[in-house]
Amino acid sequence: MKSSKETIPQLFEAALSGERRSLGKLLTLVERGGETADDVAGLAHRKAGNTHVIGITGAPGSGKSTLTGRLLELFSQTGHNSAVLAVDPSSPLTGGAILGDRIRMDDLTDENSFIRSMATRGHSGGLALAVPAAIQLFDAVGYKPVIIETVGVGQVEVDVAGAADTTVVVVTPGMGDAVQANKAGLLEVADIFVVNKSDRPGANDARRDLDLMLDLGHISGLEEKTGYRPPIIMANSLEGTGSQEIIEAIENHANHLKSSGSIKVRQDQRTLMEIQNRVELLIGTTAKETLSTEFGKAMINAVLNRETSPAQAAKSIVNSLLND
Amino acid sequence: MSDQQYRVILAKLGLDGHDRGIKVVARILRDAGMEVIYLGLRQTTGSIIAAAEEEDADAIGLSMHNAGHLTLGPKMTASLNDARLDIPLIIGGIVPDEDIEELLESGVAAVLGPGASAEEVVSTVRDAISARDET
């Protein structure tokens, strides 16, 4: 174990004063989870609430990291200190991971930006706690905006990206036809669409399919309800085209959130989700512990002997937790 | 799965495009349960230091195949010292036997050659990290 001599409040103070290494260490603590992570998250939470969170998501290889690098470059040029949390999957077999997002961003960044790679570490519950805590740390330290980049596969990743203030969904030509575009899921959480690799054949088809999907939202009444139609931006992140439009679209969306009051709805939603995730994790952990007690073993045996059903046993266990 | 999740930065410094080896090492470390932050080609000492701080890395692995190790190895350890970063530096690649001593004296934690097995790579990284943690 790497022994750091500083206490958590000391590290936090140092991070607030701009010490990058202390922020790096705090992020590690948050990632490891447990009581220490809760302490760090608690400190961060008190100071947070000032940043704009941008989620960038899409299929593997769609160009999210390259695009993120372009946005960092532009934010930096306009005097913004932006932070990126780049989430990549851990191997379910070994727990290892190759975190390769920095490689797409490094050329474009400077001391104004802070990039942190995070592996999913195989436990979705942990990720659901670590990501909001890391965002709040960046927020507390003063990074504006905070970008969270995740692969758009798996419910947790979609939830995490969807919990941002502005969610950018990156698609590439050849992702499927209009029926695909109308399926529920990732595309629904988008506030901005980016058709990346727009120099490739089929880019205009992808744009048209997305446009048609949004038209259907107009007909079904969804657009009227939200008062917002997500823009579709053509981009080529390798060349850097489209990046400026994306920044403008993010600003437009942020303004829409403010003027319509939905920023409050989103923040409330995010807070609710964070508390809910924590409650579920706490109860889940206690429930697992209960299963290995005498009472738990008796319940398992009762189910095995067909004296009670799994659902009944689960209810009894939860009731025993609540009565404790 | 290892109880301690090591985070290792892998990079190539300067103008050296031979990245087959570093990709193999990245995979070996991943399959040993470590998290590899892959920086890839054409890094500078500055970009590696910045990444090490932001990522809170436990070790740094540099791949060298252009005979620049005696210049760049000590330069990297000096940069780490200047930044007061106590992170072990491991050099892998083509390093003649007679150069190893000089690298170790300059503060490099270990040197891995082309014949190193996957087990050797993993144990060298683990040992370098635990040696640092004990001090």
Side-chain angles (χ1 to χ4, degrees):
Chain A
M1 177 76 75
K2 205 174 348 175
S3 55
S4 72
K5 286 153 209 96
E6 303 102 321
T7 63
I8 291 170
Q10 280 170 339
L11 279 174
F12 190 65
E13 281 306 313
L16 286 182
S17 72
E19 244 247 336
R20 305 162 80 81
R21 199 179 323 163
S22 304
L23 181 55
K25 285 201 166 118
L26 289 170
L27 287 163
T28 302
L29 296 177
V30 153
E31 229 182 337
R32 284 200 188 133
E35 293 281 330
T36 321
D38 293 348
D39 292 348
V40 177
L43 280 176
H45 178 258
R46 248 176 280 158
K47 289 237 171 207
N50 304 306
T51 199
H52 190 78
V53 183
I54 303 167
I56 297 187
T57 186
S62 54
K64 298 178 293 296
S65 302
T66 312
L67 174 67
T68 305
R70 288 288 172 192
L71 298 185
L72 278 182
E73 187 183 26
L74 289 177
F75 280 130
S76 181
Q77 281 168 9
T78 50
H80 291 84
N81 301 333
S82 40
V84 177
L85 186 67
V87 182
D88 264 341
S90 297
S91 153
L93 297 178
T94 66
I98 293 184
L99 308 170
D101 290 317
R102 292 188 81 97
I103 190 173
R104 320 276 171 211
M105 306 175 194
D106 257 13
D107 291 353
L108 306 167
T109 60
D110 53 24
E111 63 280 1
N112 288 334
S113 3
F114 192 109
I115 305 169
R116 175 67 177 222
S117 316
M118 190 182 261
T120 54
R121 298 206 171 166
H123 49 115
S124 52
L127 187 71
L129 298 191
V131 167
I135 291 174
Q136 284 171 18
L137 257 178
F138 283 134
D139 185 346
V141 169
Y143 284 98
K144 244 186 222 183
V146 175
I147 302 175
I148 150 114
E149 188 206 314
T150 68
V151 175
V153 261
Q155 195 54 49
V156 182
E157 281 86 346
V158 174
D159 282 351
V160 160
D165 295 317
T166 301
T167 303
V168 181
V169 172
V170 183
V171 300
T172 49
M175 61 156 194
D177 64 4
V179 177
Q180 294 293 347
N182 274 300
K183 286 187 182 170
L186 188 57
L187 297 185
E188 256 178 322
V189 300
D191 299 308
I192 295 166
F193 285 105
V194 173
V195 178
N196 204 12
K197 310 190 186 186
S198 61
D199 55 324
R200 300 239 177 132
N204 282 323
D205 295 341
R207 182 197 180 102
R208 185 203 57 218
D209 289 340
L210 289 172
D211 229 356
L212 282 171
M213 176 197 72
L214 294 172
D215 281 346
L216 292 179
H218 178 74
I219 295 168
S220 75
L222 181 74
E223 200 179 300
E224 204 182 347
K225 222 186 292 172
T226 56
Y228 177 82
R229 183 182 170 114
I232 305 167
I233 296 160
M234 307 299 277
N236 179 345
S237 300
L238 268 186
E239 307 277 330
T241 53
S243 315
Q244 189 57 47
E245 287 94 323
I246 297 169
I247 301 247
E248 282 159 20
I250 292 170
E251 281 165 4
N252 281 340
H253 182 252
N255 289 336
H256 160 77
L257 286 178
K258 267 183 219 131
S259 60
S260 66
S262 33
I263 187 84
K264 174 96 176 63
V265 178
R266 285 207 181 200
Q267 281 164 355
D268 289 358
Q269 178 75 33
R270 198 156 59 196
T271 309
L272 181 88
M273 206 172 94
E274 207 193 329
I275 298 174
Q276 195 180 319
N277 284 334
R278 285 186 177 275
V279 168
E280 280 170 17
L281 202 76
L282 283 174
I283 292 184
T285 315
T286 327
K288 264 184 214 146
E289 285 163 11
T290 310
L291 282 176
S292 51
T293 61
E294 285 303 314
F295 169 65
K297 282 179 193 151
M299 281 329 259
I300 295 169
N301 275 328
V303 174
L304 285 172
N305 297 331
R306 318 243 161 224
E307 288 155 14
T308 184
S309 71
Q312 271 305 330
K315 276 182 198 154
S316 307
I317 289 166
V318 169
N319 283 335
S320 81
L321 290 181
L322 295 177
N323 293 330
D324 267 354
Chain B
M1 207 181 287
S2 63
D3 30 345
Q4 167 83 45
Q5 199 82 52
Y6 286 145
R7 294 168 62 85
V8 182
I9 286 182
L10 290 184
K12 287 187 75 83
L13 199 47
L15 293 172
D16 175 4
H18 309 89
D19 63 352
R20 180 79 199 159
I22 192 175
K23 283 178 173 152
V24 173
V25 169
R27 183 56 192 267
I28 289 172
L29 295 180
R30 187 203 85 169
D31 288 349
M34 298 188 193
E35 289 175 2
V36 175
I37 297 128
Y38 187 81
L39 301 187
L41 299 173
R42 288 186 288 280
Q43 297 299 311
T44 62
T45 50
S47 69
I48 293 171
I49 297 276
E53 288 187 334
E54 293 173 9
E55 302 286 356
D56 191 21
D58 297 297
I60 298 170
L62 279 187
S63 158
M64 304 240 176
H65 290 90
N66 62 353
H69 51 273
L70 284 184
T71 316
L72 297 175
K75 201 174 162 200
M76 190 71 232
T77 51
S79 302
L80 284 166
N81 283 336
D82 288 347
R84 289 183 295 117
L85 278 177
D86 185 18
I87 303 174
L89 173 70
I90 299 149
I91 289 182
I94 309 293
V95 175
D97 286 347
E98 57 263 39
D99 293 348
I100 293 179
E101 197 53 44
E102 192 176 330
L103 284 178
L104 295 179
E105 269 166 27
S106 78
V108 172
V111 179
L112 285 164
S117 65
E119 288 78 20
E120 254 176 278
V121 170
V122 173
S123 63
T124 302
V125 173
R126 286 218 172 106
D127 292 349
I129 296 172
S130 37
R132 189 274 321 257
D133 288 347
E134 276 156 24
T135 54

